[in-house]
Amino acid sequence: MSPDGTASNGTLSIGELATQARTTVKTVRFYSDQGLLPETSRSGGGHRRYGPEAPARLRTIRALRSLGVPVPEIGRVLDRGDTLEAVVARRLDDLGTELAALRWREAALRALQDGAPEQLAERLELIGAVSVPPSTSALAHYWRRLLPVRLSARLRATVTDAAVPQPSADPTPDQVFAFARIHALATAATDHCLVSHRPAPVTHPDLLYGGLHEAYRLVDAALRTDRAPGPGEALDCYVAAHARASGSRDSPAFRRSLTVRLTAEDHPVMSRYWQLAGELTPGLTLGGADSWLREALTASTAAG
């Protein structure tokens, strides 16, 4: 036996390896059984022997495990099938997801705690229906059902992205509850075919939604200068989009008829959706922009 604890052939017993790595025989055996610590040979009595590189390899394994890196990924790093940098990057992504889930669960528990005792069962059912971390797929599906079938894929994606509120990475209890309620609303409307508030069919949906998207962008610019709803470029763009889509032209008569039609198309489900979306969105929602434009249209027709 040499002074450093290795056998004369340069190998280490399982006990010697555990001592050098400052761990237990049980740990060495576990990683060996997982294929992370290959044996160099077996002694005459059938005991495992490890090469001189085993202590450094075992320290690497234990360091990566302390950071939560899964055993299969450690194996790929050790066998040079994957780089350490790639594994670290993936682990950071995974950790971000885990932390988001923990923050959501904490806020969800506080939302349950903050409610009155008689509301607990209802809140639990609402919040429990949302995945952790929360997914917006039910909301996106709702909008895909709601938008015109003939709308181009580009505008469908643009409208859906703008209409679906993203859950906060660090939500408050109120935001958790608001997201649970908007998730339940969208799921119920889709599952039970309650999309009776689908907009009336138009001949040219791309002309309508393309123009509305531009009008909403102009509303956002107007709000940045604290402009109140009224005549201007945003309203003209909004009315022009509706006029083009219906094969009409902008005129005082068209604006009056448009005001009546939009009022008749109001639906409580959509109003509730935008109310909840506003609680989840720090900036302007599409519903908020549309409300601003309707107020401007009403003011315009009243003044005319």
Side-chain angles (χ1 to χ4, degrees):
M1 187 74 67
S2 63
D4 62 357
T6 59
S8 55
N9 62 356
T11 62
L12 297 165
S13 70
I14 192 169
E16 292 164 345
L17 175 55
T19 299
Q20 285 199 23
R22 297 181 181 178
T23 188
T24 64
V25 169
K26 182 179 179 181
T27 298
V28 176
R29 185 177 290 113
F30 172 78
Y31 290 130
S32 186
D33 291 342
Q34 295 295 314
L36 298 182
L37 278 173
E39 305 166 17
T40 301
S41 61
R42 291 265 178 160
S43 68
H47 299 295
R48 310 178 198 218
R49 307 294 304 184
Y50 300 90
E53 76 288 346
R57 186 179 178 97
L58 181 54
R59 285 192 289 271
T60 299
I61 294 168
R62 295 184 68 206
L64 290 173
R65 283 299 296 145
S66 71
L67 296 173
V69 178
V71 167
E73 293 197 34
I74 295 175
R76 289 195 292 271
V77 170
L78 295 173
D79 296 336
R80 302 186 185 280
D82 210 343
T83 65
L84 181 58
E85 290 81 359
V87 169
V88 169
R90 279 199 301 272
R91 184 59 191 139
L92 282 171
D93 286 341
D94 292 343
L95 193 58
T97 302
E98 293 168 18
L99 288 172
L102 286 174
R103 286 191 290 265
W104 179 270
R105 286 194 176 102
E106 180 186 16
L109 288 169
R110 295 195 185 283
L112 293 174
Q113 186 180 55
D114 294 345
E118 61 271 17
Q119 297 175 327
L120 184 59
E122 178 191 359
R123 287 193 170 212
L124 180 60
E125 183 176 358
L126 278 171
I127 292 173
V130 178
S131 62
V132 180
S135 168
T136 58
S137 59
L139 278 64
H141 183 56
Y142 166 73
W143 277 96
R144 285 194 292 271
R145 288 285 306 276
L146 194 64
L147 292 170
V149 175
R150 295 173 55 207
L151 188 64
S152 68
R154 178 184 64 84
L155 278 173
R156 183 179 299 276
T158 298
V159 173
T160 301
D161 288 346
V164 173
Q166 297 301 312
S168 171
D170 190 11
T172 65
D174 286 343
Q175 287 175 326
V176 166
F177 194 40
F179 187 86
R181 286 184 291 179
I182 200 172
H183 179 275
L185 182 150
T187 302
T190 304
D191 289 351
H192 300 98
C193 299
L194 298 178
V195 285
S196 57
H197 52 293
R198 185 194 300 273
V202 293
T203 307
H204 304 290
D206 275 35
L207 291 178
L208 174 62
Y209 283 89
L212 293 180
H213 179 68
E214 177 63 17
Y216 295 157
R217 188 185 66 79
L218 292 170
V219 170
D220 188 48
L223 287 174
R224 293 179 190 278
T225 59
D226 295 324
R227 276 188 54 198
E233 187 180 8
L235 177 59
D236 291 344
C237 183
Y238 182 72
V239 174
H242 282 284
R244 285 196 303 269
S246 61
S248 303
R249 63 183 182 84
D250 187 359
S251 68
F254 178 79
R255 292 194 177 205
R256 287 192 295 273
S257 66
L258 179 61
T259 302
V260 173
R261 178 166 64 82
L262 292 177
T263 301
E265 289 178 356
D266 279 340
H267 195 281
V269 172
M270 186 55 65
S271 298
R272 181 63 170 155
Y273 182 96
W274 289 124
Q275 178 190 349
L276 293 169
E279 297 178 29
L280 295 163
T281 306
L284 180 70
T285 65
L286 293 187
D290 196 71
S291 294
W292 191 98
L293 288 161
R294 289 195 190 199
E295 285 186 46
L297 179 61
T298 300
S300 169
T301 54

